[in-house]
Amino acid sequence: MNDAQRLQLNVRISKETSNKLDEIVDYYQENLKFGRVYKGDVLTDIIEKSYEVMKKQKQSKR
């Protein structure tokens, strides 16, 4: 994805949440073997997976 398709989000999160994100990034780094893993990539993956779950739940309610 090129820079024109990317947005920068500036958010405030708690130290505890930041520590959890660091732990998730470490997990991805150790277990997925993609090379260097960045927080933005992990957040994107989490959001995409959550979005798919949400869509499935919405469809099942219909």
Side-chain angles (χ1 to χ4, degrees):
M1 190 178 319
N2 67 36
D3 287 341
Q5 296 174 320
R6 297 179 73 88
L7 298 174
Q8 180 172 333
L9 300 177
N10 296 310
V11 298
R12 292 186 185 272
I13 58 175
S14 70
K15 180 66 175 160
E16 181 180 347
T17 300
S18 178
N19 290 341
K20 289 177 181 177
L21 178 57
D22 289 341
E23 190 174 335
I24 294 168
V25 170
D26 289 343
Y27 175 82
Y28 273 59
Q29 186 74 43
E30 292 171 6
N31 293 292
L32 297 181
K33 309 296 183 207
F34 286 134
R36 179 75 175 114
V37 177
Y38 297 95
K39 288 181 182 180
D41 297 328
V42 172
L43 289 171
T44 298
D45 189 52
I46 291 169
I47 291 167
E48 291 293 327
K49 288 177 181 175
S50 297
Y51 184 78
E52 291 302 319
V53 168
M54 180 194 70
K55 283 185 2 185
K56 287 178 185 177
Q57 288 177 348
K58 281 183 169 182
Q59 287 177 347
S60 69
K61 287 184 179 180
R62 293 180 183 177

